[in-house]
Amino acid sequence: MIDADIIEPSIDPKTKKIGVRHVKATNAAGTRTKIQVRDFDPVYTDEPASLGGTNTSPSPLETVLVALVGCDGVIINGVATAMKFEYTGVDFVCESQIDVRGPKGVPGIRPYFESGSLEITVYSDESEERFAQLCKNVEFRCPVMNLLSAAKVDMTVKWKKRPAADYSGSVD
């Protein structure tokens, strides 16, 4: 075991299981790309007008942040289920910084995020000890958070806990 606070895997750790993700996309020689994922309605990416785009959809890097908070939501739910950790919801606030010279081809400037911040507020009446264990396990398991870490993006992650009854959001 890596750390006493890391919970057991929810899958046989000795049996490799490959998960394949597949998307199709088309781009008509511009900044806007139409992307098809499984049988869902298409999603789009674009760039702000200030970066030469048509500003009709989130930028690809904004969708990375969408993926981060969405992935954290999934992993929080999975870890909470495994721990029998009760919570009523989660709110996320995320931002990142990029030197736009990188994607414009300036040598020595990386073309992706330099840093970012993520604030995660979990609405729960669980103890601080169990909350800390949840946080540690989510950071250990979240694929997108670990991709950013492997890319050496300087991410500041701040976890907060608020009373379960304070959650007012909904997912429609």
Side-chain angles (χ1 to χ4, degrees):
M1 185 57 69
I2 295 170
D3 180 314
D5 286 331
I6 300 296
I7 61 176
E8 291 293 320
S10 58
I11 192 169
D12 178 0
K14 295 183 178 122
T15 303
K16 187 173 185 176
K17 184 174 181 176
I18 302 297
V20 177
R21 306 296 182 263
H22 180 80
V23 299
K24 292 182 190 178
T26 188
N27 177 294
T31 57
R32 184 171 163 90
T33 301
K34 178 182 179 181
I35 305 149
Q36 186 67 49
V37 180
R38 291 186 269 150
D39 58 352
F40 297 108
D41 290 339
V43 294
Y44 296 85
T45 60
D46 197 355
E47 286 291 333
S50 62
L51 294 176
T54 60
N55 199 38
T56 59
S57 301
S59 75
L61 284 174
E62 288 167 330
T63 64
V64 170
L65 301 181
V66 169
L68 173 60
V69 297
C71 191
D72 273 336
V74 168
I75 300 300
I76 288 168
N77 183 262
V79 169
T81 299
M83 290 177 59
K84 296 181 177 29
F85 182 98
E86 294 194 21
Y87 71 108
T88 56
V90 184
D91 288 329
F92 302 93
V93 177
C94 188
E95 70 175 35
S96 66
Q97 295 79 43
I98 181 173
D99 185 333
V100 295
R101 296 176 301 164
K104 299 292 184 186
V106 175
I109 307 293
R110 66 170 157 187
Y112 58 92
F113 299 136
E114 292 180 345
S115 62
S117 63
L118 173 60
E119 183 177 289
I120 304 169
T121 303
V122 179
Y123 296 85
S124 175
D125 297 325
E126 294 273 359
S127 70
E128 290 299 324
E129 182 178 286
R130 286 187 34 89
F131 177 63
Q133 185 180 23
L134 175 89
C135 300
K136 186 181 279 190
N137 278 275
V138 170
E139 290 188 16
F140 179 74
R141 290 184 177 196
C142 180
V144 179
M145 191 177 290
N146 280 283
L147 278 171
L148 293 171
S149 177
K152 298 187 182 345
V153 176
D154 182 21
M155 286 296 295
T156 301
V157 181
K158 181 190 281 186
W159 290 84
K160 295 179 176 181
K161 184 169 76 78
R162 294 197 37 201
D166 288 356
Y167 183 66
S168 61
S170 69
V171 181
D172 299 340

